[in-house]
Amino acid sequence: MPGVVIVGAQWGDEGKGKVTDLLAERAEAIVRFQGGNNAGHTIVRDGEEFKFHLIPSGILYPEKACVIGNGVVLDPRILLDEIEGLKRRGIDVGNLRISANAHLIMPYHVLLDTAGELKLGKLSIGTTRRGIGPCYADKALRLGIRVQDLLDEKILRKKILAALEPKQQALRELSVQRRKLRKEAGEGGREGGDQSVADAPDPRLDLHTMSEEFAGYGHRLEPHIADTSRLCWNVLDGGGTVLFEGAQATLLDLDHGTYPFVTSSNPIAGAACVGAGVGPTDIDEVWGVAKAYATRVGAGPFPTELDDAVGRHLLERGHEFGTTTGRERRCGWIDLVALRYAVRLNRMSALAITKLDVLSGLDVLRAAVRYRSREGAVFDSFPYHQSILHSAEPEYEELPGFEADLSTCRSEADLPPQARAFLDFVARFAGVPIRLVGVGPGRDQVVWIGDEPHLRAA
Ligand code: IMP
């Protein structure tokens, strides 16, 4: 009765959607366990592109249970848009199940996310401004609104009232501070697009309107609301496979990532248990997904970042623009110090390396194998102190590059020897076998290494 977790091994956008889609073929249920619509998963099926922010990648299998777990924060407007979009394309969403315990992203969370980032100015985190942090903060403060609250209008209104008052005050204060700062900087006038922090009562924060609007979402989502932990137990106890689909990635983990430049949830494998409501012994395998290079969106340390022709090559060849925000991603060489850290934190059993094709055309391939601090100290493992990470210089292993176009490779033998040597080096350094390699965006553009996984119990 296997439980299989898929996690991002870097800073996100590793191509987890595609790996989930491939492994989902062998599973009975696919569950998202954290994050919200800050994520963006792209899947290409028969030349058709699907982009998901909230709905688990398994939705393209109508016969499988597709679950939004309790650990997810959910913006119901976005979810309903995704549901409608899929229906318009003829995709059956009847098997979508939403945990009654998942928390809702409310309009004030989105406003607070933006206002908080604006206040931080140069120190901003570069969040997706989808309200993720403020929503998880309310969850911890026990001021959150949960999916189940949508089903009782009285309770919903009461809870919104309790949550709303401190938000109105916080937004007002942020607005005053920001205007003061702008004045000091000699910038006059009203803030262009920043009406979120305006003085007048914001119609988006009206209790009555919000309660009515959200009760309406409740009516529409009701057929999908369920006890999703029980659903997972039933599949696992019946000998089926549950795939736990992580969003974001290890280095964006709230506890173990490059804090504060992280997301507000735990994208590591251990969180699958909390965010889906299963036990640690339900997890049999952990697949980590890493690109053959590295990218990051938003601010924060990124030791192998490149600001040169190779960086442009990776950006352009890899189409490195965010699925959620459209932002240009920062690009660099693969960082094996960070990868080995991710392998251990997640206790990965397998690695999927994506976008190997993007490296073709580079004379030399590099992989960071240690960092050196300004003072000359050498770090073979991920330093716990953020200041070191900010200033550390990576030291690289150099491997020969390859020219060949990999997009039609379908077996290990099709790959040029230099590409195989690169993969070998990564696997040996990380200490985990590479089981899957991506050579293009299409579903069929993969190379399985060793046997294709049979995830079912023997
Ligand atoms: P938040 O999750 O919107 O609060 O953003 C916090 C940080 O995580 C920012 O640096 C974002 O760019 C980053 N982030 C959030 N979601 C993703 C993702 O799905 N892929 C890559 N980066 C992400």
Side-chain angles (χ1 to χ4, degrees):
M1 26 168 251
V4 181
V5 186
I6 298 178
V7 291
Q10 298 164 316
W11 280 281
D13 311 311
E14 296 94 348
K16 295 179 290 294
K18 176 169 163 177
V19 177
T20 308
D21 185 37
L22 289 164
L23 295 185
E25 216 172 88
R26 298 149 171 91
E28 277 67 38
I30 299 94
V31 188
R32 261 198 66 180
F33 58 88
Q34 45 72 228
N37 59 305
N38 47 349
H41 294 169
T42 307
I43 296 176
V44 181
R45 272 269 184 102
D46 304 325
E48 223 189 316
E49 192 174 74
F50 293 88
K51 285 185 195 288
F52 302 117
H53 296 291
L54 256 176
I55 292 190
S57 309
I59 197 74
L60 298 181
Y61 298 94
E63 73 285 3
K64 299 178 195 287
C66 187
V67 177
I68 296 182
N70 58 276
V72 171
V73 288
L74 182 160
D75 188 327
R77 290 167 298 186
I78 304 291
L79 179 61
L80 284 161
D81 277 355
E82 282 193 3
I83 291 175
E84 291 310 317
L86 282 165
K87 281 185 183 163
R88 275 196 300 276
R89 292 170 78 173
I91 310 285
D92 177 9
V93 293
N95 272 351
L96 176 67
R97 292 289 172 271
I98 304 164
S99 168
N101 290 351
H103 279 248
L104 295 170
I105 297 181
M106 305 297 289
Y108 44 78
H109 292 138
V110 181
L111 298 175
L112 277 170
D113 198 354
T114 302
E117 283 286 271
L118 290 172
K119 184 183 172 226
L120 282 171
K122 282 196 189 114
L123 299 176
S124 74
I125 292 160
T127 75
T128 59
R129 301 193 179 188
R130 301 296 191 264
I132 306 296
C135 184
Y136 278 116
D138 263 0
K139 177 177 176 176
L141 281 170
R142 288 149 297 178
L143 275 178
I145 319 282
R146 295 191 294 172
V147 166
Q148 58 185 276
D149 299 326
L150 293 174
L151 303 178
D152 184 326
E153 283 191 50
K154 252 199 200 150
I155 288 186
L156 177 65
R157 195 183 159 88
K158 252 197 207 159
K159 291 201 171 178
I160 295 180
L161 177 65
L164 195 53
E165 206 203 331
K167 309 302 181 307
Q168 280 167 330
Q169 198 180 332
L171 284 165
R172 260 195 307 273
E173 278 165 18
L174 283 166
S175 158
V176 171
Q177 280 177 18
R178 186 156 165 74
R179 264 184 293 133
K180 211 168 124 200
L181 281 175
R182 284 178 67 92
K183 215 167 165 188
E184 278 168 16
E187 297 170 40
R190 258 183 76 91
E191 307 211 0
D194 186 23
Q195 297 191 354
S196 60
V197 290
D199 239 1
D202 189 321
R204 289 168 296 185
L205 297 181
D206 178 70
L207 171 68
H208 180 71
T209 317
M210 206 186 297
S211 308
E212 295 241 302
E213 182 188 334
F214 275 71
Y217 298 144
H219 290 304
R220 292 170 64 192
L221 291 175
E222 192 168 3
H224 299 284
I225 301 174
D227 176 351
T228 53
S229 304
R230 192 167 296 281
L231 186 155
C232 293
W233 305 339
N234 290 343
V235 174
L236 291 165
D237 293 348
T241 295
V242 178
L243 208 56
F244 300 93
E245 176 185 5
Q248 289 83 50
T250 304
L251 297 167
L252 292 175
D253 184 274
L254 183 59
D255 288 79
H256 301 282
T258 52
Y259 190 89
F261 303 102
V262 293
T263 191
S264 296
S265 66
N266 293 106
I268 59 171
C273 297
V274 181
V278 300
T281 50
D282 286 318
I283 308 298
D284 299 80
E285 292 199 32
V286 177
W287 283 59
V289 187
K291 278 179 196 166
Y293 49 99
T295 63
R296 173 164 206 170
V297 275
F302 181 9
T304 62
E305 182 169 13
L306 295 170
D307 186 18
D308 61 8
V310 176
R312 293 292 322 160
H313 170 109
L314 299 172
L315 177 82
E316 283 160 17
R317 294 283 298 275
H319 308 292
E320 296 296 351
F321 299 91
T323 318
T324 302
T325 57
R327 288 181 287 179
E328 218 173 73
R329 295 177 184 141
R330 300 156 66 192
C331 297
W333 293 113
I334 193 166
D335 182 342
L336 297 183
V337 183
L339 183 63
R340 198 156 56 181
Y341 174 66
V343 165
R344 186 60 191 86
L345 272 175
N346 293 286
R347 191 45 117 188
M348 282 174 206
S349 49
L351 258 176
I353 298 291
T354 56
K355 294 187 136 181
L356 184 63
D357 54 303
V358 173
L359 297 185
S360 89
L362 296 171
D363 298 338
V364 177
L365 305 179
R366 292 193 174 89
V369 291
R370 69 186 75 82
Y371 305 141
R372 193 176 287 273
S373 76
R374 258 191 219 131
E375 294 73 30
V378 171
F379 291 84
D380 292 313
S381 51
F382 205 68
Y384 73 83
H385 207 294
Q386 192 79 4
S387 310
I388 291 167
L389 205 57
H390 274 283
S391 60
E393 283 297 325
E395 293 190 353
Y396 292 106
E397 179 78 18
E398 291 196 353
L399 293 109
F402 53 90
E403 279 298 324
D405 170 14
L406 305 191
S407 62
T408 55
C409 296
R410 295 295 176 270
S411 75
E412 216 182 332
D414 294 341
L415 294 171
Q418 299 90 333
R420 271 184 279 157
F422 178 77
L423 292 173
D424 246 26
F425 185 77
V426 170
R428 265 189 289 115
F429 199 96
V432 178
I434 295 173
R435 303 285 308 280
L436 182 65
V437 180
V439 291
R443 194 169 191 279
D444 58 328
Q445 290 181 298
V446 288
V447 170
W448 292 98
I449 298 189
D451 292 335
E452 275 195 38
H454 294 288
L455 300 173
R456 268 167 228 283

